[in-house]
Amino acid sequence: MFSFFKKKSPPSVVAPGLPESAPTPALPAAPTLPAAAAVGVGVAVAVAAAPAPQSGAAAPVDVPVAAPAPEARSGWLSRLAQGLRKTGAGITQVFTGTRIDEALYEDLESALLLADTGLPATQFLLTDLKRRVKETKATDPAAVKALLADVLTDLLRPLQRPLVIGGADGQASPTVIMVTGVNGAGKTTSIGKLTRYLAEADQKVLLAAADTFRAAAREQLAVWAGRNRVEIVSQEGGDPAAVSFDAVSAGRARGCDVVIADTAGRLPTQVHLMEELKKIQRTIAKAMPGAPHEVLLVVDGNTGQNALAQVKSFDAALGLTGLVVTKLDGTAKGGVLAAIARWGAEQQRVVPVYFIGIGEKLEDLQTFDAREFAQALLD
């Protein structure tokens, strides 16, 4: 999952020792997406390979750069396990006994529900777990706990997908990302962190300060723009749709790789504000046909089942393409990711979790990995 490559900037240069006809090396990417190279420091953001030149020039070559030290990745996993400890404590307590019986499954059901896994996901996990216990003839609670980690990983795996920047399905540049969420979810901070990773991956980023309602929202985004040395389009008290339109138009004119539009936080029950989000989405499409290419929802992991309700509402209104789940550090409701995964499976409409956050530091925003999450939860 975590490969660290950077797209070579001069597309016409052939790496030494490779024939001119050598194809671009293909790296693992999400299903149906083109071969992509993951870039960044700790976060895998896939940058799609550029189309092969028509003049016979060599295809661009992906040049590997140094990967993060294993101890740095280990540090992230340790912090993730620490952050999920409140969620997982009740679940792991179930497996401290010596017997596998109906009482164990009843206790596990209660623990999963308390972790805000939700009834559909809880029933699915228990049914699949019992089947695997029977098939493997497991007799030790520790073995059942390991099987639960496998069951949870398989449930969450459809949510594991990289964010692809540029060139997907013939997509024109720039890639336009519209970011939404309720107040206090960590939307603007997440935008700042994502911008940092993209900028370090040699992506030219332009920010749109389309949150014109919240006090100091424009200033907060401007601080992140300054830190990351990227441009920002903003208007004091301006119309959010107009700001978004101007930003996308400017991004196209300036040759930007990515345009990220921040929007005002709102509750999905505020109908007039949700309608404004739809207006912003339509306006972006007018500025660039096919945009926005990504519609992300930032949700607070502390809100549990309310986070699932937000996903349903925003998806119905905008057609979400991805999630960023923040503030998982210290929450007792981290099981909501299983609820989101089960809802997606039932709807046959998976909204992937691109990133999860466990703190305020830059390195505390990382790509979501189903196996890592399951192991951290049951650690």
Side-chain angles (χ1 to χ4, degrees):
M1 175 64 186
F2 291 90
S3 303
F4 299 90
F5 290 83
K6 186 178 292 184
K7 188 171 67 176
K8 190 174 181 180
S9 50
S12 61
V13 177
V14 182
L18 289 178
E20 291 190 355
S21 60
T24 303
L27 297 175
T32 73
L33 294 178
V39 296
V41 182
V43 170
V45 180
V47 181
Q54 300 297 322
S55 60
V61 177
D62 292 321
V63 181
V65 296
E71 56 268 21
R73 187 67 193 160
S74 177
W76 151 256
L77 295 176
S78 176
R79 295 196 308 277
L80 178 61
Q82 180 66 32
L84 293 173
R85 184 158 296 175
K86 287 185 178 179
T87 300
I91 300 174
T92 56
Q93 183 67 26
V94 173
F95 301 100
T96 56
T98 59
R99 299 178 57 186
I100 301 174
D101 52 18
E102 196 58 35
L104 181 146
Y105 291 120
E106 290 178 0
D107 290 342
L108 180 57
E109 180 179 23
S110 298
L112 289 171
L113 291 173
L114 286 174
D116 262 22
T117 302
L119 186 58
T122 297
Q123 291 176 338
F124 176 84
L125 290 171
L126 287 173
T127 300
D128 199 4
L129 177 62
K130 289 179 181 179
R131 178 185 62 80
R132 297 192 190 205
V133 169
K134 183 177 180 180
E135 289 178 352
T136 60
K137 296 180 173 58
T139 57
D140 179 51
V144 178
K145 179 182 173 182
L147 289 174
L148 177 61
D150 293 338
V151 173
L152 183 57
T153 298
D154 289 344
L155 175 62
L156 295 175
R157 188 168 282 119
L159 301 183
Q160 180 181 320
R161 192 179 302 172
L163 171 63
V164 174
I165 299 298
D169 301 323
Q171 170 187 309
S173 188
T175 296
V176 181
I177 303 174
M178 178 179 170
V179 184
T180 64
V182 303
N183 288 321
K187 180 167 47 64
T188 304
T189 300
S190 297
I191 290 174
K193 293 177 181 179
L194 177 57
T195 300
R196 176 69 172 273
Y197 288 120
L198 290 169
E200 289 181 347
D202 292 336
Q203 298 294 293
K204 186 176 181 181
V205 182
L206 178 67
L207 301 181
D211 181 354
T212 59
F213 291 97
R214 182 169 63 89
R218 184 170 58 95
E219 289 77 7
Q220 183 184 1
L221 195 64
V223 169
W224 278 108
R227 288 178 183 174
N228 298 323
R229 298 182 180 180
V230 301
E231 298 179 68
I232 183 172
V233 172
S234 65
Q235 298 175 8
E236 186 173 359
D239 177 68
V243 173
S244 301
F245 184 92
D246 291 346
V248 174
S249 299
R252 300 182 72 182
R254 300 173 192 178
C256 293
D257 297 301
V258 184
V259 175
I260 305 178
D262 188 14
T263 61
R266 63 203 67 212
L267 295 173
T269 54
Q270 297 172 308
V271 178
H272 64 293
L273 292 180
M274 294 299 287
E275 288 299 321
E276 184 176 81
L277 273 183
K278 295 178 184 179
K279 177 185 175 183
I280 294 174
Q281 188 178 39
R282 292 193 302 268
T283 303
I284 289 175
K286 291 179 181 178
M288 181 178 181
H293 308 101
E294 295 283 349
V295 181
L296 307 185
L297 174 66
V298 180
V299 293
D300 182 346
N302 279 300
T303 58
Q305 286 295 302
N306 189 38
L308 175 58
Q310 292 173 31
V311 172
K312 293 178 179 179
S313 297
F314 279 88
D315 185 52
L318 302 171
L320 297 176
T321 62
L323 304 175
V324 179
V325 183
T326 64
K327 305 182 183 181
L328 285 171
D329 48 317
T331 181
K333 301 180 178 182
V336 70
L337 268 72
I340 292 172
R342 188 57 193 160
W343 168 78
E346 292 175 344
Q347 299 295 314
Q348 297 185 335
R349 163 100 176 89
V350 177
V351 181
V353 176
Y354 286 145
F355 304 101
I356 57 175
I358 57 169
E360 293 297 325
K361 297 179 181 178
L362 178 66
E363 61 269 22
D364 289 337
L365 181 73
Q366 297 282 342
T367 47
F368 172 71
D369 183 278
R371 171 60 68 177
E372 289 179 352
F373 188 88
Q375 290 180 335
L377 183 64
L378 299 174
D379 186 13

